[in-house]
Amino acid sequence: MKNIVLFGPPGSGKGTQAQKLESKVGLRQISTGDLFRFHLGNSTELGKKAKAFMDKGDLVPDALTIEMLQSEVEKYPDAKGFIFDGFPRTAPQAEALDAFLLSRSTSISAMILLVVGEDELVRRLLERGKTSGREDDQNEEVVRHRITVYHEKTAPVADFYSAQGKFHKIPGEGGIEAIYASLEALIKSL
Ligand code: AMP
């Protein structure tokens, strides 16, 4: 089983690349952002709890996020592996993911960071906001806050995987196909 953490700031292209990996390599994408947006759109109890955090560009509390992620993984007992997109975003989430995967006799194979400069991130997110319908992509203040939250709370998660010898990074700027080619080559080499 190959389990990949696709890592990087908002706008680094994790979702785009994870979707390609799912269709070409057959690893199942789990995007906690997409899951939360599903709950928001359907006004579930979880969606109502997550909304205020998401609107501001803050992280949803760990307990809610971890529980949602675990029940999603449990839906796919036959998956040949997962691409975690947007999770883990905090140290407690990374620890919980390791323990959860261990309980299922598997583990993270690699964390892969998509490296993209800050100006490019803001440009991409605001551009996406014109068509995605995502309110958190339409307000520059919220966009910049999400990037700050990434630097403060999420970026340190790389150290967790680095200590396990699982940290890799690839350039996330350039054409989508070229980025995908290096990502796929890396994953196939694992
Ligand atoms: P994303 O689509 O990954 O940019 O996520 C959109 C929003 O969903 C984030 O700004 C957070 O409010 C929330 N979210 C997604 N994934 C997580 C996570 N792993 N931990 C906490 N909040 C999350």
Side-chain angles (χ1 to χ4, degrees), residues 29-42 44 46-47 50 54 60 64-73 75-76 84-85 87:
Q29 174 196 16
I30 297 190
S31 157
T32 43
D34 285 351
L35 291 170
F36 279 131
R37 279 185 288 280
F38 173 84
H39 283 278
L40 220 65
N42 289 281
T44 66
L46 178 57
M54 294 176 73
V60 178
L64 296 176
T65 307
I66 291 165
E67 194 187 321
M68 177 180 74
L69 184 281
Q70 293 182 349
S71 53
E72 189 68 12
V73 169
K75 286 182 192 161
Y76 305 102
F84 297 104
D85 159 10
F87 184 95

Side-chain angles (χ1 to χ4, degrees), residues 10-11 14 31-34 36-37 50-51 53-62 65-66 68 85-90 93 125 128 134 136-137 146:
K14 301 184 295 295
S31 157
T32 43
D34 285 351
F36 279 131
R37 279 185 288 280
K51 185 177 184 333
F53 298 98
M54 294 176 73
D55 284 350
K56 282 189 279 183
D58 283 327
L59 296 180
V60 178
D62 285 336
T65 307
I66 291 165
M68 177 180 74
D85 159 10
F87 184 95
R89 261 174 152 103
T90 64
Q93 289 181 17
L125 289 167
R128 185 172 73 185
R134 280 183 60 169
D136 62 347
D137 284 344
R146 285 159 60 206

